[in-house]
Structures are given as C-alpha cells and as structure tokens.
Amino acid sequence: MRLWDWFFKLTVYFKVWSTKAPSTIVFVGTYSGDGSSDSKGIYAFTLDETKSTLIPLGLAAATTNASYVLVHPSHKYLYAVNEQDDGMVSSFEIDSTKPGRLTLINQQSSRGSGPCYLSTNRVGEYIFVANYNNGTVAVLPINSNDGSIKQSTGFDQQTGSSIDPIRQTSAHAHCILLDKREQFALSADLGSDQIYHYRFFPNNGSILRTSITKAARPGDGPRHIIFNSNQKYVYLMNELKSTITVFNYFPNMQSIQIVSTLPENFTAMNTGAELLLHPITEKYLYASNRGHDSIAVFSVDNNTGFLTLIQHISVQGHTPRNFNISPNGKFLIVANQDSNNVVLFTIDENTGKLTSTGSIVEVSKPTCVKYLVS
C-alpha cells in the first residue's frame, strides 16, 4: 500500500474518532424500600443517542429516598436529598473511571423534614434545599476542595395555610432557586399558596426574606418555578389546580396568563408536577400531568411570554413525577413513579413535539432525572 493510502486511512480514522458523540450518563433518583424489588438508591443509565436507547448501568449508590438529585456544575459531584423525617442532603463523588458510579462523601442536615428539591448557584458554592413537610428552606455551603457539604448558613421558616383542607393546612416549601442574576431566590410554597422572595448574600451564604407574592388563585398549590433566560418571565407549576401561571418578573412579579395543563374534556383527578423550557431555543415549554399521565407541550411567545398548547402525549406509565430534557435539546426522559418505569422520547427540533422512541426501562419508584455529559 502506498504511503498516501496509509495517510488517508489514518486521517479518516482520527476524524471519526474526534467527532464521536459525547457520552451521556443519566442518573435517576428513587424512593427506596426494603423489599427485594424495591429501589435501593440512585441508578445510572447510558443514553445512546445514536440508537435512541437507554442502557442500564445498575445501582450507582445506595441511599435512602433520593427523591431529588442534582449534578454539581463541575460535573465532579452529585447531591441527593434523603426525603425522610430528619431530612438530609448527601454528597457523592462521580467516578471518572467507572461510568455511573458514585462514592458517598458526606451527609448534612437539610434543616427540615421531607427535603424534596435542590438547586445551586452557577459556580456551585452553595446548595439550596426546600423541605416539604415543615415548610423550611436552607442554604448549605459546598467545600470547593472535596465537594462535601457544610452546615447551613441560611435558613427560613415559611408559614401560612390556604383553602385545601388536606394539602394546605400548613406551609410546604416545594422548591427554591436563584434568579439568573443570582441576587434573589424564589421559593414556591404549596401549603400557603405563596411565592417567597429572598435576598441572597454570596459572601456568607445567608438569605433574607424580602417579600411574598400570592398565587394567582386560592388553592393553586405552587410547586415548581422556572425562569426564562432573560429573566423577563417566571413560569409556575400549580400542582393542585394543574395549571401554569406566567408572571412578569420585573419590576414586580405579576400574573399575566394562566393555562391548564389538561385537555378540556378531562375531569378525573390530576396533579401537576414538573415543568421545563427547551434548553436550547426556549420556544417550547413542557409540563407533566399525574393522573392524565401525559406531557403537555406548549409553544412560547418569547415577546409576551404567553403559552399555547400544541400537544398532549402519553408518558406510557403512571404518575410522571419528574422529567428532564437532554442538554442538547434532542431527548426527554420521564420518570413514572407509580408504574416503575423510565421512558425516552425524542424532541422534534422544528415543532417541539415529542415522539416515543420505544425505549422503556424498569426502575422501582423513579422520581428524578439528571444528565451528566462527558
């Protein structure tokens, strides 16, 4: 073989190798149990984007009721709530040599009962945690050297109640996250139909309550909040009413639209769960329905923030507590808590609509999906 032929083959080889798709690991948090078929903690999967398939990697780490998990911005660590009466947050090191393996670093009190949500600031210096059972929120510093969690530096006890005689007799903090400028944090309180505003002080990790925004309607049951990228609009999932409220954020948080996540003819029991904007275009918003067991897809008017329903699609399971969109915006993975399965969908880049890939994996009581792209 001539020298030129060898050179050509080597060039093609290295070109193929260098353009190989990045490896995507998916971590799934669960409710755990003692039975042989119950989950034992956090599970890992490989997302094969070429074949649109999820490949199980097994148990990543044994831990109790890791109902919400979060990958650190550095991709070196993973954090998980331990949703129990004496709430904890666990930190894990992500094994860089064994895909999907986690090693416990330490645990720290969540300063409440039933922690259900985690977020961080952009550089990963602090974890924000919401405790559902007793309506508290806390800020926990992260050790930059080893990813361990320190004792809380910020804390607030939310208060109040609303009209639902079962779900709204006391405060139930369901999320807390910083806005895009990281000057303020918002927390949705399902029990009191309120959104708490906090000033965040990054120099010492403290928070100061500054104001409260009422839910658009009594009995809404605020659950999760997201911002669009320019921070002009806030989208709020109302768990109890299965609606999304669109707010202006500045100068004052004010409701400008309320849309149902359900079809008009659906009258059975339903609760709203997760909502996310498309991570690349923000032209679409996705929301999950527990009862109708669907994902509702909306188009987003980026000028007004308004939502228009364009699709309902079955999640091929029951109780889609959580879902997440891959960082490249091509895939959506749903965690169906009560049918014990995780389902993979593709996202049409032109329409935003979802299509099932047929890839369904069994996991007992899955509750949260997070991606790690390497």
Side-chain angles (χ1 to χ4, degrees):
M1 183 178 291
R2 295 176 300 174
L3 181 61
W4 172 254
D5 293 329
W6 278 108
F7 176 77
F8 178 77
K9 286 180 178 291
L10 284 171
T11 302
V12 170
Y13 172 80
F14 283 113
K15 183 177 181 181
V16 171
W17 179 83
S18 64
T19 58
K20 182 181 178 181
S23 172
T24 301
I25 302 297
V26 178
F27 291 104
V28 175
T30 68
Y31 281 124
S32 57
D34 296 326
S36 59
S37 61
D38 291 336
S39 287
K40 304 305 175 187
I42 303 166
Y43 291 81
F45 301 83
T46 296
L47 171 58
D48 187 329
E49 297 192 12
T50 303
K51 298 180 180 179
S52 298
T53 302
L54 286 170
I55 303 168
L57 296 174
L59 182 65
T63 190
T64 303
N65 289 342
S67 62
Y68 200 93
V69 299
L70 180 71
V71 174
H72 189 269
S74 69
H75 292 181
K76 294 180 180 179
Y77 313 109
L78 180 140
Y79 300 91
V81 302
N82 298 111
E83 190 177 330
Q84 53 199 25
D85 290 342
D86 56 334
M88 304 290 287
V89 180
S90 297
S91 62
F92 299 88
E93 182 178 8
I94 297 173
D95 195 321
S96 59
T97 61
K98 297 179 180 178
R101 292 295 178 265
L102 303 171
T103 302
L104 180 67
I105 300 171
N106 79 326
Q107 292 181 306
Q108 194 63 254
S109 170
S110 68
R111 295 289 305 276
S113 175
C116 62
Y117 187 92
L118 297 174
S119 62
T120 68
N121 62 333
R122 219 170 352 255
V123 296
E125 294 171 321
Y126 296 97
I127 287 181
F128 297 77
V129 55
N131 296 290
Y132 179 83
N133 292 350
N134 67 334
T136 62
V137 294
V139 185
L140 310 177
I142 296 172
N143 188 319
S144 60
N145 294 319
D146 62 7
S148 61
I149 310 167
K150 303 177 185 179
Q151 292 184 344
S152 67
T153 52
F155 176 82
D156 188 51
Q157 172 69 65
Q158 299 173 1
T159 59
S161 59
S162 194
I163 64 172
D164 190 299
I166 299 174
R167 299 290 305 279
Q168 294 186 309
T169 59
S170 63
H172 294 300
H174 220 309
C175 77
I176 179 169
L177 73 162
L178 288 167
D179 64 18
K180 300 297 183 180
R181 297 177 184 176
E182 300 199 336
Q183 296 176 337
F184 293 91
L186 296 185
S187 175
D189 189 308
L190 184 148
S192 65
D193 275 333
Q194 297 181 130
I195 300 166
Y196 284 76
H197 299 240
Y198 298 98
R199 182 76 166 90
F200 172 58
F201 299 93
N203 59 318
N204 60 13
S206 64
I207 53 174
L208 175 67
R209 189 194 303 179
T210 57
S211 62
I212 294 175
T213 298
K214 293 287 187 181
R217 299 180 297 188
D220 273 351
R223 179 181 173 92
H224 282 178
I225 294 168
I226 56 174
F227 294 90
N228 74 330
S229 59
N230 66 14
Q231 201 168 268
K232 188 175 182 180
Y233 304 110
V234 175
Y235 297 90
L236 170 67
M237 170 61 80
N238 299 305
E239 177 175 333
L240 303 184
K241 290 286 183 70
S242 301
T243 59
I244 298 169
T245 305
V246 185
F247 292 88
N248 280 326
Y249 189 44
F250 285 124
N252 297 305
M253 195 164 161
Q254 189 172 23
S255 169
I256 57 175
Q257 186 192 29
I258 301 172
V259 296
S260 174
T261 61
L262 294 168
E264 291 183 5
N265 60 353
F266 185 81
T267 58
M269 178 65 184
N270 187 84
T271 55
E274 188 60 274
L275 81 167
L276 288 175
L277 285 164
H278 190 277
I280 304 299
T281 68
E282 295 194 349
K283 291 168 59 178
Y284 309 104
L285 183 145
Y286 302 82
S288 62
N289 288 304
R290 297 177 294 183
H292 188 248
D293 291 332
S294 65
I295 299 292
V297 185
F298 298 86
S299 63
V300 181
D301 186 322
N302 289 326
N303 293 319
T304 65
F306 284 7
L307 304 177
T308 302
L309 180 69
I310 58 175
Q311 184 189 28
H312 282 107
I313 186 169
S314 169
V315 294
Q316 301 181 39
H318 302 299
T319 318
R321 180 186 175 100
N322 184 262
F323 65 87
N324 208 340
I325 300 170
S326 61
N328 62 14
K330 295 181 179 180
F331 296 91
L332 184 148
I333 299 175
V334 181
N336 292 315
Q337 179 180 336
D338 290 338
S339 54
N340 304 315
N341 63 357
V342 173
V343 182
L344 177 65
F345 295 83
T346 56
I347 301 175
D348 188 295
E349 63 179 354
N350 296 313
T351 67
K353 292 184 177 181
L354 301 177
T355 301
S356 174
T357 64
S359 180
I360 302 175
V361 293
E362 293 185 2
V363 187
S364 177
K365 299 260 184 298
T367 55
C368 188
V369 177
K370 287 293 187 291
Y371 297 87
L372 174 67
V373 180
S374 58

